Amino acid sequence: MYRVRFRKDLNLLDIEWLAMFEPDRVGDYARKLRDEFDAEGFVPGYLLRMDMRRSGVQAQEAVRAFRRHFAGFPQASRIAVVTESAIARMQVRREMTQPYLRIFERAEGALTWLLRR
């Protein structure tokens, strides 16, 4: 359903969503991600790349579950979301209103932007 890589050398949390999320699985995903975040020694201010190209638009129930389970998750300093879908782009903009977020069509461009200082 997803792949997660913690790249300490880049202070990067790199997530790839591989499918749509079932609303009842979002809580487990959030807990595992937070546990791994802490175990890897990450702290607020990290970089986040979320590659959503293979997951499609999330159902509204799943979106509500994400909102609930990720409230209070440590804040990134920059977020790059990767999607080619215009509808997914609209959903991301509606749900993720951080001024330090950008949306990209390609993962490489997202990483370049994240690492630019």
Side-chain angles (χ1 to χ4, degrees), residues 31-76:
R31 276 186 296 282
K32 287 178 185 175
L33 192 58
R34 181 58 195 253
D35 289 349
E36 201 170 337
F37 185 93
D38 292 340
E40 291 287 338
F42 270 59
V43 297
Y46 61 97
L47 305 172
L48 172 61
R49 178 171 62 173
M50 292 181 57
D51 189 337
M52 302 168 65
R53 288 176 294 176
R54 295 176 60 191
S55 67
V57 177
Q58 298 297 315
Q60 287 305 301
E61 283 184 50
V63 169
R64 285 190 290 276
F66 278 109
R67 199 179 303 135
R68 184 173 62 255
H69 290 290
F70 278 92
F73 196 88
Q75 185 176 345

Side-chain angles (χ1 to χ4, degrees), residues 77-88:
S77 62
R78 283 183 159 195
I79 301 171
V81 174
V82 183
T83 182
E84 296 167 344
S85 164
I87 296 171

